[in-house]
Amino acid sequence: MLAAANIREHWRSFLAAFLAVAVGVGLITVTLLLYDSGRPRTQPRVAAAGVLVVSDQAPDRSGALEDRVPWSESEARDLVGRLSGIPGVEATVIDRNFYAQAFRNDEPVADEAATEAGHGWSSTRLAPYALTSGRAPQSGNEVAVGSDLGVSTGSSLPVGLADGVHTYTVSGTTEGHGFYFTDAEAARRDTGVTTIGLVTAKGSSVKPVADRAGGIVGGSGSALTGDARGVVEPGYLTHKRFLGDQLISALAIMALFTTIFVVAATLTLATTQRRREIGLLRTIGAGPRQIRRMVLGESVIVGLLGSVTGGLAGILGAPVMLAALRRLDVTPPGSKVIVSAWPLTAATMIGTGVAVLGAWAASRSAARVAPIEALLDAQTEQRPMSRGRWIAGSAAFGLGVVLAVVTATGAADRRLNLAIATSMCLIVAAALLAPVVIGPVVQLVTAPLARRSSGAVPMLVRAELLNSTRRAASTAAPVIAAVGFAVLISGLVATMRVAYPAETTRQLAGQVLIDPGNAPGLSDAVVHDHPVGRAALPTRLFVTGPGGGNAVIDGVGSRDPRWSRPGEAVLDTTMARFLRVRAGSTVTVGFADGLSSELRVASVLPPDEARGSFVLSRDTVREHDPTALTDNIFMPADHAPAHLGAGARLQNAEQFALKQYNTDAKLTDSLAMMVTAVAVGYSGLAVANSMAMAVYGRRTDFAVMKSAGGTRRQLLRFAVSETGLLVIIGSVLGLLATLPPLAGVASGLGAETATRVTIHLSGGTLTWAVLGSLVMATAASAFVTWNVLRPRTR
């Protein structure tokens, strides 16, 4: 009851915390809704298969589940025979997927699904896809294609495959996208089997069929039904979902951290402004425990109200965010927002918990207010830095320094996460230790102005900030977060944009390469036409991991005479250590066709990215993986060919480096801009709220100044000047908090790329982050001050 009454009485003091929780929960709701909506859904191409029987996944060297362990052709045929005998199964179809791409005028037609666009005709039953014209393919030189390709039945169509470009006769067109060959042709081009579709008879129950199918495959696979079938999807959709999840995760982490940060600062400021009131409660008998319960109760109410408001806003904002992700091409086609209960419930619980967590420090401070403070006219801070604040700030700073060192020396795949964690620690440290910095900075900045100016504004700004450094630190805290996040994200992108292309250019100095252009890779025909140079043929290999189970690793087929020896493999030291083998040992390797073979380890060499960690004969790879494609052919510049195969392009090292990085950098820039805009916008709103709350809390001070002869213009100048100085101080602290993690990233990149890498900051991002915070804060301060000072009609 007391907490609710206090909120009604001091609603302006809690408005900033309410809005901070509402905006934070709104962002969290958006991310949770998009994450829930973005889960894999059953693909239209297999929608008619009530049960999908899939092989088990194998973990990679880091332990993450990756590729499915294929069944061999004989194992798949045996499974098909046994699965076909299940009552209620109408058809059992092996689903094959391999590279197929249309060519026009010797150029590949752009198709992001090309890597897995080739199928056998029987796979059309899994959709089902009906013919829109013509008939099914009946010979090895015929193909049915999706009607979206725009070709007519009976026409000749060049189709790029792993072994080269072949001309097929279009026997018919279908409703779905793809290239559908005879089952025999498809089996020749995709020899390993990972998916078998079961089409159930009309009226049959799917569950008994799935149970029987699961018993038949045993420990080598599983039977999927319902939405679980969504894991069977093309690789490019999985990649898009991964990119979208990365952005959503970044937004969620940023929203959670900023919400805790801002709510703690605003509630601390609100508690500081009510010290006399709390002192009065202590005078009439309220104990420290009751004061803590009151403050925490207020935070629960504010958190619940803000969470409900933020949840409703998140439902409205999710389609807008999905549209932005769709423009960035990081969502699967046909994605839509699905509103379910658990994201809203989780967001509400997070919002309320964050409010309580943010109020915990404020409640401890409020419990220490002495009864005598009820008799003080001036709310002078007795101690800007409490012992707990010193300890917490020093601990956060120390942890940030340690993480900055770890960022510079840690593994490349952990560097970004470490940089973000380092920045968070240092931002917290900057906010907690800000009262130590604000005093000297204010004295340094205002001393010359106070001497040269005949007005009272510099003197008032100086006196107010020196007298209330803790309040000033709470007001500047959102600015520290806004500028810190903006500088960190833009700085990471700018630094990596310089480092990675420089590394690739250095590694490929004096070389040219043949690039596949719009195709996902080069065919064997192109490789054969250019016998000079390094033409690695990547594949996935299945080995026995350290724990005894299957593990998947990257293999490289080489035509270099030093490594290309049938029955042998060359490993680097890290791979040999992982497999626990040495030169002269034998290792059993499973291939993409489901067959296994023993290879002799010819030698173990130091790591070399250009060579690969597990190198074997190119012919061996092609024998077992007919779908593999060569990424590029690297050769000395003086061996550059005069003529290229269909779709291939010649590039120098610098062109390749820029193209390789710009493909990801364009997306990274867009994602970074989105995260930065949200961070600055959210923190800017918190800055405006904090300024407004601070001005409303000083209405008595303004009344005294006005009665002493201060004009409205002078008081407006005073409020705006104080706000502007705090924004500048917060911006500098936010900038300084991000320099150590950026230095760590630059140092790590320099060691990784063997090039000199320095910190690169985005001046434009820094400028608009500071100006945005300054404009929002000063506008809010000026508006609220003017509203407080305007004459009231009796």
Side-chain angles (χ1 to χ4, degrees), residues 413-630:
D413 57 348
R414 299 169 51 203
R415 191 171 296 132
L416 289 180
N417 291 334
L418 285 171
I420 293 174
T422 303
S423 182
M424 287 182 175
C425 289
L426 294 179
I427 286 174
V428 171
L432 291 174
L433 301 177
V436 180
V437 179
I438 288 176
V441 172
V442 169
Q443 288 180 335
L444 180 66
V445 173
T446 59
L449 297 177
R451 287 195 299 266
R452 296 177 185 177
S453 176
S454 59
V457 170
M459 180 187 66
L460 289 173
V461 171
R462 176 187 176 93
E464 181 65 28
L465 293 182
L466 291 178
N467 181 60
S468 306
T469 53
R470 186 181 293 187
R471 178 191 64 79
S474 298
T475 305
V479 181
I480 298 174
V483 175
F485 273 119
V487 173
L488 174 69
I489 296 170
S490 60
L492 288 173
V493 173
T495 303
M496 290 187 294
R497 183 186 289 112
V498 174
Y500 285 120
E503 175 198 19
T504 306
T505 302
R506 180 188 60 81
Q507 292 176 341
L508 302 178
Q511 298 187 66
V512 295
L513 60 116
I514 299 176
D515 183 80
N518 288 331
L522 298 170
S523 67
D524 284 350
V526 176
V527 174
H528 182 269
D529 291 342
H530 304 90
V532 177
R534 175 165 55 89
L537 185 64
T539 188
R540 298 287 270 176
L541 304 174
F542 300 91
V543 296
T544 301
N550 283 319
V552 61
I553 60 173
D554 288 313
V556 176
S558 174
R559 65 180 181 183
D560 190 320
R562 294 174 295 175
W563 330 123
S564 182
R565 297 170 185 161
E568 293 185 353
V570 175
L571 282 59
D572 68 11
T573 53
T574 59
M575 182 61 71
R577 194 178 306 116
F578 174 74
L579 297 178
R580 299 177 180 176
V581 297
R582 59 178 182 269
S585 303
T586 59
V587 57
T588 302
V589 176
F591 294 95
D593 60 357
L595 300 178
S596 298
S597 177
E598 283 194 351
L599 299 177
R600 176 179 171 274
V601 180
S603 58
V604 176
L605 303 175
D608 182 356
E609 187 177 351
R611 185 189 64 242
S613 60
F614 195 112
V615 187
L616 60 163
S617 166
R618 182 183 174 93
D619 292 337
T620 301
V621 172
R622 179 54 74 205
E623 177 187 353
H624 292 282
D625 190 356
T627 67
L629 294 169
T630 300

Side-chain angles (χ1 to χ4, degrees), residues 51-54 198 209-215 217 221-225 228-229:
V51 179
L52 289 179
V53 178
V54 297
L198 305 183
V209 173
D211 292 340
R212 288 284 302 275
V217 296
S222 54
L224 308 177
T225 62
R229 296 173 297 166

